[in-house]
């Protein structure tokens, strides 16, 4: 199916093709064992998250500033979900953002999560690298 809208990109002082949105693709596969008639369902969620931004460094203004705030808010919410899951907290704040709410069944329970991150080796990006890790 075609995306509902194209991925938003825009130039900032840090990146000429900065993603201004997250990309989420979820595939659900259902299969039936022909011998036992047991139905199994699995879901694969692939996410390309827009990177966090230090507004002062990206020099974002206007609409770019609004986008940066929304990106940082959803990434913070995702970090809080990871913290809660990692610490065994009774409350996991999935509803703090659309992103974590949509990914709830892919993050908790018996779900398996694998994360790939892109970090910069440049000393000038040490803060961003540290916050990503």
């Amino acid at each position: 199916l075609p995306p509902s809208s194209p991925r938003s990109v825009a130039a900032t002082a840090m990146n000429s093709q900065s993603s201004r949105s997250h990309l989420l693709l979820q595939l659900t596969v259902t299969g039936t064992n022909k011998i036992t008639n047991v139905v199994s369902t699995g879901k694969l969620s692939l996410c390309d998250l827009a990177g966090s931004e230090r507004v002062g460094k990206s020099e974002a203004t206007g609409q770019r500033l609004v986008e940066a705030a929304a990106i940082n808010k959803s990434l913070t919410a995702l970090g809080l979900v990871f913290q809660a899951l990692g610490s065994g907290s009774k409350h996991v704040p999935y509803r703090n953002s659309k992103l974590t709410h949509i990914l709830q069944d892919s993050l908790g329970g018996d779900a398996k999560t694998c994360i790939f991150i892109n970090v910069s080796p440049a000393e000038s990006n040490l803060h961003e690298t540290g916050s990503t890790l």
Side-chain angles (χ1 to χ4, degrees):
L1 296 174
S4 57
S5 62
R7 182 111 188 241
S8 178
V9 296
T12 69
M14 292 179 66
N15 185 346
S16 64
Q17 292 282 311
S18 179
S19 297
R20 310 313 297 162
S21 60
H22 303 309
L23 175 70
L24 175 62
L25 172 67
Q26 293 184 312
L27 302 171
T28 303
V29 178
T30 302
T32 305
N33 183 315
K34 291 186 178 186
I35 297 170
T36 64
N37 286 327
V38 172
V39 177
S40 298
T41 301
K43 181 191 272 188
L44 175 65
S45 298
L46 302 171
C47 305
D48 182 5
L49 302 176
S52 63
E53 289 187 5
R54 287 177 50 204
V55 174
K57 197 170 182 181
S58 70
E59 300 175 8
T61 59
Q63 183 60 31
R64 303 292 86 79
L65 182 60
V66 172
E67 293 163 350
I71 290 165
N72 290 342
K73 182 178 178 184
S74 66
L75 292 174
T76 298
L78 183 60
L80 292 173
V81 166
F82 285 145
Q83 275 185 327
L85 290 170
S87 68
S89 176
K90 289 184 180 186
H91 172 71
V92 180
Y94 291 115
R95 293 182 182 251
N96 285 4
S97 81
K98 284 183 185 179
L99 177 68
T100 54
H101 187 68
I102 291 169
L103 291 175
Q104 180 173 351
D105 64 348
S106 296
L107 296 172
D110 63 353
K112 307 293 184 258
T113 303
C114 181
I115 300 174
F116 296 91
I117 58 172
N118 185 19
V119 297
S120 171
E123 190 172 336
S124 61
N125 293 323
L126 186 60
H127 182 270
E128 286 83 3
T129 297
S131 83
T132 297
L133 295 173

